[in-house]
Structure formats: structure tokens, C-alpha cells
Amino acid sequence: MSYLNIIRKHPNFLSYGMLHYFFSSIGQTFLISVSVPFMLTDLDISSGNFSNAYAVATLSSAFLLPLAGKWVDRLSLRLLSLLGGLGLVLASIVMFQVDNLVLLIFGLFLLRFFGQGSMILIGSTAIARFFSSNRGKALSVSSLGLAFAETLTPLLFVWLIAQYGWQTSWLFPIGAVLLVFIPVTQFLILRARKEPDSANEDFTNNDNDFTVKQMFRDPRFYMILPAFAFLPFFITGIFIHQNMLASAKGWTMEWMAACFIGFGIAKVLTSFMGGWLVDKFSAKSVFSFYLIPMALGLLLLLFLDHRLVGVFYMILIGITASLGSLTGVAIWAELYGVKNLGAIKSMVTMMMVVATAIGPIVIGWGFEQSLNYTLMFSIGFILVTSLVGRLGLSQNSFM
């Protein structure tokens, strides 16, 4: 089925997924990082202390995600979206009130749990569960929400901070969630039920569906996990410390924010091609090379300092991020089925979020020691883990 036919057939359900991806931006590193320089100044904390606070908040949110995964498998989508939206409202209210490190950690925890964690977990699991033969295309359409957010929201937040200050800027997500996300997602789910050929037409039960315990006993899981974990680990680390990268390269933070346009456009364009590739060749095949564009981007950073390198580097990372987003959902459905997909994906997401918590600490320390050595080690790690993951996926289930 073509992209156009899928969109025509299931516009409400796909829009529902897209909105969850878009509003996950409220808790994503690329948006939070815009406020970091102002947080450091106003709260009088160092980059190291902020990295530690970010790690504590992110790890705490990660360990709660398996609980959220059980909810995703059991509760209605309308209730899940309502709870997730209200959580984002609470998180933004706390960020608006932040005046000390403890409150900052709490606010970051809420942002990470309800934004980066729960929003994408709800949206991606719903799409992956109800689309089978067209899962890749459906995920690529839904993930455009995050790509649009990555393109638009950093520059918007930079403007809001310049006009109103970094804390007052957190009032705007509150209005967006209450006026757009909650009412529209509730409406879309009601409309989706009235669509001809409902969105769950491809849903099938599989007697070979894995439980979380069975997944942990499968050696393939441990062979592909490092390659998946590296993407959120490195992207979170380098995005949260983009001020250090900008300083080392002689770029401004405004230029770094502008480079996110290239990141977002690359994600949008790659999403369509990536969805077709997943449906044509499988997520397991796409996984084999999804980190390579990012490795090329890091090579550019390693050898060149021109400001245009920032654009090309962000484009290449955007390609990898898009392919990672698609394969990071579809591959678990391909390997372990969809019956327990919410629980499985929440457990995997917890590990990915742990990687995002460690990333700022390790990458920040690495940049302080040597930017070039950090980039070289990262490139080498990408090549090794991609090869190991490919070898793992070439094996049949060990169960």
C-alpha cells in the first residue's frame, strides 16, 4: 500500500500518533538544551552539576517506564493520552516555578517521563501494534510529528526566551497541551473508530509472541542493544552540551539552533524512504546501516571547523535519528511480536533513557578532555556495534 493510500485510509489514527511524537518534544533534549545556558546563570550551577541533575532526573523517569508500558498494554488510548497530556502540563508548571536545584531535578524528571518517555511510548506502540504489513510506512508518517517539532520548536523557544525569559517560556507548552493536544487526541480516537476498515485491520495474534522474560533470554537482544543504545546516548550528550561544541568550533548558539532545521528536514525526508525500506526489506535489514550516516557526520566534525559543517553534521545525524526511530519500534515487533509490545518496548525504552542519562556525563567529560578523541572513539564504537548487531540479527531465535 502506498503512503497516500495509508494516509487516506487512516488519517485520524496516524494523526493521533503524530501528535504524540510532536508533543514529546516538550521533554526532549533538543528543546530543554535551549534553556540550559540561562538555567546555569540564573540558578548559579555549573555544567557538571546540571549534567548530574539531568542524569538523576532521566534515570528516575527511566525506571518508571516499565510501569507505563503495562498501562499502555491495558488502558484505553483516550485515557492514556489524557494522563500523558496532564503530566506535560504539570511538568511545564514546575519548570515555570524553578528557583533551586531540587525543583529543577523534579521538573526535569516530569519532562523526561511524560515527554521523551511516555508520549513516544504511547504513540509508537499504538501504531506498531495496529499496523503489520504497512508498519514501516505508518511509523514513518507518525514520526513526522517529532521531525516537525525538531525543526520548529528550538527556534521558537529561542525567540520566546529572548522575548519573555526562559521560565516564562514554559507557560506556552501548557497552553499548547490544554488547547491542542488533549482535545484533538480525544477527538481523533473517536473519529478513528468510525473509519471504514479500522486502523487495527492488520492486527494479528501470534502464538510465538515473546514475553519480556523470554526477550531477556534471547542472545540476539544483547547483540543489537549496544547499537540501539548508542544513538540516544550520543545524541543526548552532544545536544545537551552543544554550547561546548559551538565554543570549540567557534559557532554561536543561535547558529546551532538554526542547524536544527537541517536536522528536522533530514528526518522528514528520510522518514518516507525509511518507512518504505522497513516494509520492503524489514527493520532488521535497515538496522545494519542506520548508524553509518551519523559516523560520517562525526568525521566531518573531526576534520573541519567551517560553520556549514554544522548543517551537514546535523543533516547526517537527522538521517540516523530517523532510521533509528523507525527501526527502534518495528524491529521489536518483528523479533518478538505485538501481544506484549507495550511492556517490551517500555523495557527497551527504559534502557535507552538510561543511556540518555549517562550520555551528558560521559560526553561532557570527553569534550572537556578532548573533542577529537571523543569523536574518534565514537566513530569506532559505531562500526563495531553495527557489525555485532548485524551478526546477531543473522541468527534465528535461540528460544
Side-chain angles (χ1 to χ4, degrees):
M1 188 183 296
S2 68
Y3 276 104
L4 187 58
N5 286 335
I6 292 174
I7 294 171
R8 285 175 174 173
K9 199 170 186 179
H10 306 299
N12 297 300
F13 202 77
L14 292 172
S15 298
Y16 172 86
M18 188 179 293
L19 276 172
H20 283 78
Y21 273 93
F22 184 92
F23 276 86
S24 75
S25 64
I26 297 175
Q28 296 279 4
T29 300
F30 65 81
L31 189 63
I32 297 173
S33 65
V34 175
S35 301
V36 170
F38 306 97
M39 293 180 190
L40 299 183
T41 300
D42 289 359
L43 301 179
D44 192 25
I45 56 178
S46 66
S47 294
N49 286 336
F50 178 82
S51 294
N52 292 334
Y54 199 72
V56 170
T58 302
L59 285 171
S60 300
S61 70
F63 293 135
L64 283 181
L65 278 178
L67 178 60
K70 293 180 180 179
W71 294 342
V72 170
D73 286 333
R74 298 173 183 175
L75 300 182
S76 70
L77 293 179
R78 291 187 67 193
L79 181 56
L80 287 169
S81 298
L82 176 61
L83 294 174
L86 293 176
L88 287 178
V89 169
L90 176 61
S92 299
I93 290 174
V94 173
M95 292 301 294
F96 171 67
Q97 297 289 337
V98 164
D99 60 2
N100 59 71
L101 185 59
V102 174
L103 196 58
L104 175 63
I105 293 174
F106 182 56
L108 292 173
F109 159 75
L110 292 173
L111 287 175
R112 301 297 277 165
F113 178 75
F114 287 105
Q116 185 222 27
S118 299
M119 281 289 111
I120 288 187
L121 178 63
I122 295 168
S124 64
T125 302
I127 294 296
R129 175 175 286 129
F130 291 112
F131 289 87
S132 178
S133 59
N134 297 294
R135 182 179 291 132
K137 295 186 184 72
L139 285 169
S140 72
V141 172
S142 296
S143 66
L144 290 177
L146 182 56
F148 292 147
E150 288 163 336
T151 305
L152 301 174
T153 56
L155 285 175
L156 175 61
F157 228 63
V158 166
W159 181 82
L160 288 173
I161 290 172
Q163 298 297 315
Y164 305 106
W166 73 270
Q167 285 182 282
T168 304
S169 296
W170 284 102
L171 293 176
F172 290 85
I174 298 173
V177 171
L178 292 177
L179 297 177
V180 178
F181 177 80
I182 291 178
V184 174
T185 53
Q186 300 299 300
F187 171 77
L188 288 172
I189 285 300
L190 291 177
R191 288 294 301 272
R193 293 174 179 172
K194 300 177 182 179
E195 289 179 355
D197 297 319
S198 64
N200 64 347
E201 62 174 357
D202 292 323
F203 177 77
T204 57
N205 285 310
N206 188 340
D207 291 336
N208 294 320
D209 284 332
F210 279 51
T211 64
V212 173
K213 290 182 179 179
Q214 289 173 322
M215 178 188 72
F216 280 132
R217 293 200 296 266
D218 183 8
R220 296 177 301 172
F221 174 74
Y222 301 99
M223 296 180 75
I224 66 177
L225 185 62
F228 273 124
F230 184 76
L231 177 61
F233 165 85
F234 190 84
I235 282 188
T236 304
I238 201 168
F239 281 4
I240 206 71
H241 292 301
Q242 59 181 308
N243 58 320
M244 298 175 68
L245 176 63
S247 177
K249 295 294 183 180
W251 305 335
T252 64
M253 286 299 294
E254 289 76 14
W255 177 247
M256 293 298 294
C259 288
F260 270 101
I261 296 176
F263 179 83
I265 292 174
K267 285 198 68 176
V268 171
L269 297 179
T270 305
S271 181
F272 288 106
M273 178 59 69
W276 177 83
L277 288 172
V278 167
D279 289 340
K280 180 73 173 179
F281 301 104
S282 81
K284 292 185 287 187
S285 298
V286 176
F287 164 85
S288 302
F289 62 85
Y290 96 101
L291 283 172
I292 301 304
M294 185 166 77
L296 295 175
L298 299 186
L299 276 175
L300 290 178
L301 284 181
L302 182 61
F303 293 110
L304 301 172
D305 294 332
H306 194 280
R307 57 187 261 151
L308 287 179
V309 170
V311 178
F312 291 110
Y313 139 76
M314 290 295 283
I315 288 174
L316 289 166
I317 284 191
I319 293 172
T320 285
S322 181
L323 295 177
S325 176
L326 293 172
T327 57
V329 179
I331 199 167
W332 307 117
E334 288 182 10
L335 289 174
Y336 304 126
V338 298
K339 182 179 180 181
N340 301 300
L341 185 59
I344 287 174
K345 192 172 185 306
S346 67
M347 188 63 66
V348 173
T349 302
M350 180 192 75
M351 297 177 185
M352 300 302 103
V353 175
V354 169
T356 68
I358 300 172
I361 298 175
V362 175
I363 299 301
W365 176 84
F367 280 2
E368 289 176 350
Q369 306 306 309
S370 172
L371 174 64
N372 287 344
Y373 283 139
T374 302
L375 295 175
M376 285 190 287
F377 178 82
S378 299
I379 294 168
F381 190 84
I382 286 173
L383 298 177
V384 172
T385 55
S386 295
L387 177 59
V388 172
R390 177 58 183 169
L391 292 174
L393 290 176
S394 66
Q395 307 295 321
N396 292 322
S397 173
F398 288 82
M399 294 299 297

